[in-house]
Amino acid sequence: MDWVRLGTALKAARTTHEPRLTQDDVQRALDVSRATVQNIERGKPFSKATPTHRAYGRLVGWTEESVDRVLGGGDPTLEADSQPPAQPEPSAPVPDGLPLRVAEELAAGPLLDTMVIRLPGGGQAVVVARGKEGGSPEEIQAALEAWRAAQPRLQEIEVRAATDEPPESAA
């Protein structure tokens, strides 16, 4: 991890920030000592990036992952330059007659996946998996992993329905 690179980049971002920030401004905003700000800008090594490093990055307009990127030799990304991924337009409007609560849930959060479960007698259940509205990339990834973990259990429902097997808990 290149702590000197991080310190140099944070200092440069501070001095070019509009309005310009002083070390005193940073220490007050982060509620740390001036010595802490100086140590960070001088590249004092730490065992890992701290919440103070991340808060400093956010203060100068960096995205959340920029501190790690700079420590690894890359460049920071400015929050202003970072745009959320475009949400795909729905291929069909929400059908009329759905309860408002369901229609709102269908429109909320980034779409992760969908699944159709065939039921006996020709019926079907539709499952729509969505991430947290305005969620961070980490939160969206966690939701996607939770969805992937749930899929096999949902597929078991379809298999049991097709074979008319009773659920395991009913045995």
Side-chain angles (χ1 to χ4, degrees):
M1 290 194 269
D2 192 342
W3 295 101
V4 172
R5 179 181 175 77
L6 177 64
T8 302
L10 285 169
K11 181 178 180 179
R14 173 180 62 80
T15 59
T16 59
H17 187 270
E18 287 298 326
R20 186 176 181 275
L21 296 170
T22 65
Q23 285 185 337
D24 288 335
D25 294 329
V26 173
Q27 71 122 117
R28 278 192 299 275
L30 302 182
D31 195 25
V32 296
S33 69
R34 188 159 191 239
T36 298
V37 175
Q38 290 171 336
N39 284 336
I40 289 172
E41 289 187 358
R42 287 183 185 135
K44 178 186 177 207
F46 291 76
S47 60
K48 63 180 183 175
T50 67
T52 302
H53 289 105
R54 297 185 194 294
Y56 194 158
R58 285 190 303 274
L59 181 66
V60 296
W62 291 3
T63 59
E64 193 66 30
E65 65 279 354
S66 287
V67 167
D68 296 315
R69 188 175 294 130
V70 173
L71 282 170
D75 293 322
T77 303
L78 294 178
E79 191 67 46
D81 296 339
S82 173
Q83 296 183 0
Q87 294 296 318
E89 292 295 320
S91 56
V94 176
D96 289 335
L98 283 178
L100 180 58
R101 178 178 60 87
V102 173
E104 287 176 351
E105 291 295 328
L106 287 173
L111 179 65
L112 300 175
D113 199 4
T114 60
M115 178 180 223
V116 177
I117 300 172
R118 305 285 175 215
L119 302 174
Q124 62 188 14
V126 178
V127 179
V128 177
R130 291 203 173 269
K132 178 181 176 184
E133 183 76 39
S136 68
E138 293 81 15
E139 289 170 319
I140 301 301
Q141 184 63 37
L144 185 57
E145 289 170 15
W147 165 246
R148 288 180 180 145
Q151 278 182 305
R153 292 188 300 259
L154 292 169
Q155 289 168 336
E156 287 175 23
I157 293 170
E158 184 172 18
V159 168
R160 280 195 302 259
T163 61
D164 289 331
E165 288 181 23
E168 290 177 24
S169 60

